[in-house]
Amino acid sequence: EVQLVESGGGLVQPGRSLKLSCAASGFTFSDYAMAWVRQAPKKGLEWVATIIYDGSSTYYRDSVKGRFTISRDNAKSTLYLQMDSLRSEDTATYYCARRAIYFDYWGQGVMVTVSS
Amino acid sequence: DIVMTQTPSSQAVSAGEKVTMSCKSSQSLLYSENKKNYLAWYQQKPGQSPKLLISWASTRESGVPDRFIGSGSGTDFTLTISSVQAEDLAVYYCEQYYDTPLTFGSGTKLEIK
């Protein structure tokens, strides 16, 4: 059974940093691209970043380029999202998702609140 | 960026009724080389994470009830639920994976009368 479990969320002040993790199990992690998708409170889904299977290529939405870094450790079957220079508009539930071109499995999500 | 427009934003139906919801993209999602539409549908129940229902515009995922039917091509797509059940209460999102940035529609909220 595929499982994706996010952690690392919380309350952070604007301008500070936070690092999310996603522990994967139930599949060969190194075979798949992975992604982060977020959802602001009461809002829709927004793709944040993607990393291909071996970590050699990454893709970001414009609003997080230069501030967020997606990475992975295939030996640990873990996906990361380093979030720097956080803004209030980054407040959202962040989902880790497996990419089989589309998002075929999602984690339960972790809440990030950016507020002073 | 490819803009995905979903209508209606919300819909209330009685159990057993048929419901259709629309998703339109600002450019074609049909890739000419493989004749596939790069369009997925997701279901998000209250308090839960999204779940993939349909990929390639019309391919139902394993375990998804056959009352969920995806159709359409190019820029116009439809999700039909042939006979709505109480457990179908959810927000339904379409997503294009034709190009980066990946984009979602704003969702159609399905309410059960």
Side-chain angles (χ1 to χ4, degrees):
Chain A
E1 178 195 5
V2 172
Q3 285 200 317
L4 300 169
V5 180
E6 302 94 336
S7 60
L11 174 63
V12 61
Q13 293 179 328
R16 304 298 290 265
S17 299
L18 203 61
K19 187 172 185 176
L20 305 182
S21 299
C22 170
S25 60
F27 66 102
T28 304
F29 183 71
S30 57
D31 283 350
Y32 287 87
M34 297 294 295
W36 290 96
V37 177
R38 67 185 179 185
Q39 186 170 35
K42 304 295 186 186
K43 299 294 185 183
L45 301 167
E46 183 175 80
W47 167 75
V48 174
T50 297
I51 186 167
I52 70 168
Y53 71 102
D54 64 355
S56 61
S57 291
T58 56
Y59 307 88
Y60 300 91
R61 68 178 303 102
D62 285 349
S63 61
V64 307
K65 275 181 190 173
R67 300 189 300 121
F68 288 13
T69 303
I70 188 171
S71 62
R72 63 192 297 159
D73 184 335
N74 284 347
K76 294 182 178 179
S77 296
T78 302
L79 176 72
Y80 303 101
L81 185 67
Q82 175 68 45
M83 303 185 292
D84 299 324
S85 302
L86 281 161
R87 306 167 180 168
S88 57
E89 55 264 35
D90 296 320
T91 293
T93 296
Y94 284 73
Y95 295 102
C96 161
R98 191 177 83 168
R99 271 200 73 70
I101 302 184
Y102 35 81
F103 301 109
D104 62 348
Y105 287 94
W106 298 64
Q108 84 287 351
V110 63
M111 186 68 200
V112 173
T113 302
V114 184
S115 174
S116 54
Chain B
D1 298 4
I2 298 176
V3 177
M4 306 298 290
T5 302
Q6 286 188 249
T7 56
S9 57
S10 66
Q11 198 165 6
V13 299
S14 300
E17 288 186 0
K18 175 181 174 181
V19 65
T20 60
M21 55 193 77
S22 170
C23 173
K24 295 184 187 294
S25 57
S26 61
Q27 66 185 73
S28 178
L29 305 182
L30 179 63
Y31 188 44
S32 56
E33 293 200 12
N34 60 13
K35 300 291 188 286
K36 287 190 170 187
N37 286 283
Y38 284 56
L39 188 283
W41 288 96
Y42 301 88
Q43 176 192 60
Q44 186 175 33
K45 294 183 176 181
Q48 296 185 17
S49 55
K51 172 189 172 184
L52 176 66
L53 291 179
I54 289 168
S55 58
W56 306 114
S58 60
T59 302
R60 202 180 301 115
E61 290 300 296
S62 174
V64 173
D66 59 8
R67 65 179 180 273
F68 291 92
I69 302 161
S71 61
S73 184
T75 61
D76 291 347
F77 301 90
T78 299
L79 177 66
T80 299
I81 308 175
S82 59
S83 178
V84 169
Q85 305 299 304
E87 63 262 31
D88 299 336
L89 168 73
V91 179
Y92 294 85
Y93 294 95
C94 59
E95 178 232 350
Q96 66 80 19
Y97 46 95
Y98 185 92
D99 196 12
T100 302
L102 309 171
T103 48
F104 293 87
S106 56
T108 292
K109 184 177 183 179
L110 181 64
E111 298 171 314
I112 312 299
K113 289 180 187 175

